[in-house]
Amino acid sequence: MACGVFAPSATAATTGKRPPDNRLEADCRSGKGRCTFKADGPGRVFRAPFRQVSKSLLNCSTSDVSKSMGWEDSLTVTDEAGISLNLGSVQPVAAGITANLSHGKAKAHVSSGTVNITVKPQEVGWIARAPLMHQATGKWTTHYVFPVHRRWHWKIAGTVVGPVENGTAGKYSAVMVKTRQMTEQEVAACASRHKPRPKAD
């Protein structure tokens, strides 16, 4: 963008000082800064902790319950604090070596599937997934429409985390069935749900 196209704001004309880092970070997160991200290197590919990606199945019966359950996991690009970024497609991060992100609405990466699950009496079951993620450290560059503190472009260090396809760096996501004992409240809810109805007179 050529300098001089837009008139400097009153703040820009009087200060020229670097904006606080938290201001630049907030503008990158919101999209106001129209930020791009340049990774310093390939970063690292890792499997994130397991988290629930399906509804819970409560077994209120006296025998095992088996069924096929669907799951869905929707992920997008976030910063190191886990805050979603109003930035570009996740694909540049997935590409790895030269991660570049441009301003624009972040696209979610959706994975889904079906798993057979068996839950014992008075247990709760669900499907959990540990997604494959890529973390890259580098620098954000702002591209303000109007100059901030006399400049359109400010740089700030940062980290982005985003989902990647299975097989990246020879690693894979994982899906598993998890179960636990019902709580006292859940047991009581099961009992009230299956309480015999009084016969009509």
Side-chain angles (χ1 to χ4, degrees), residues 28 35-43 87 92-93 96-102 134 136-143 155-160:
C28 282
C35 300
T36 56
F37 180 81
K38 175 69 175 179
D40 293 334
L87 300 164
V93 177
I97 305 299
T98 56
N100 288 281
L101 287 172
S102 299
H134 176 258
T137 300
K139 288 184 175 61
W140 295 106
T141 300
T142 64
H143 300 271
K155 292 184 182 294
I156 183 172
T159 300
V160 295

Side-chain angles (χ1 to χ4, degrees), residues 14-192:
T14 56
T15 65
K17 296 179 181 179
R18 177 183 172 84
D21 285 354
N22 59 359
R23 157 77 184 277
L24 296 176
E25 290 171 352
D27 287 350
C28 282
R29 286 175 181 150
S30 68
K32 180 180 178 181
R34 298 167 60 87
C35 300
T36 56
F37 180 81
K38 175 69 175 179
D40 293 334
R44 70 184 184 100
V45 176
F46 65 100
R47 198 160 69 182
F50 281 95
R51 60 197 183 96
Q52 185 170 344
V53 291
S54 72
K55 294 181 179 179
S56 295
L57 176 62
L58 282 73
N59 184 359
C60 296
S61 71
T62 57
S63 58
D64 291 359
V65 171
S66 297
K67 67 175 295 185
S68 179
M69 284 187 69
W71 61 269
E72 183 175 289
D73 194 11
S74 180
L75 296 163
T76 188
V77 179
T78 69
D79 63 11
E80 57 193 325
I83 300 175
S84 293
L85 299 168
N86 200 15
L87 300 164
S89 163
V90 300
Q91 187 56 42
V93 177
I97 305 299
T98 56
N100 288 281
L101 287 172
S102 299
H103 62 83
K105 184 60 180 176
K107 297 179 181 179
H109 181 276
V110 180
S111 299
S112 61
T114 303
V115 174
N116 293 324
I117 179 172
T118 298
V119 181
K120 295 184 177 300
Q122 294 198 341
E123 283 192 352
V124 180
W126 67 93
I127 300 165
R129 180 173 185 259
L132 193 65
M133 306 293 285
H134 176 258
Q135 178 178 298
T137 300
K139 288 184 175 61
W140 295 106
T141 300
T142 64
H143 300 271
Y144 288 108
V145 174
F146 296 99
V148 172
H149 293 209
R150 284 187 171 181
R151 292 173 61 175
W152 283 268
H153 310 299
W154 292 98
K155 292 184 182 294
I156 183 172
T159 300
V160 295
V161 182
V164 289
E165 298 293 335
N166 272 330
T168 302
K171 298 181 179 181
Y172 295 84
S173 61
V175 175
M176 68 179 299
V177 173
K178 289 198 171 187
T179 61
R180 64 169 173 80
Q181 289 293 319
M182 285 187 183
T183 63
E184 292 182 2
Q185 292 83 356
E186 289 167 338
V187 172
C190 278
S192 62

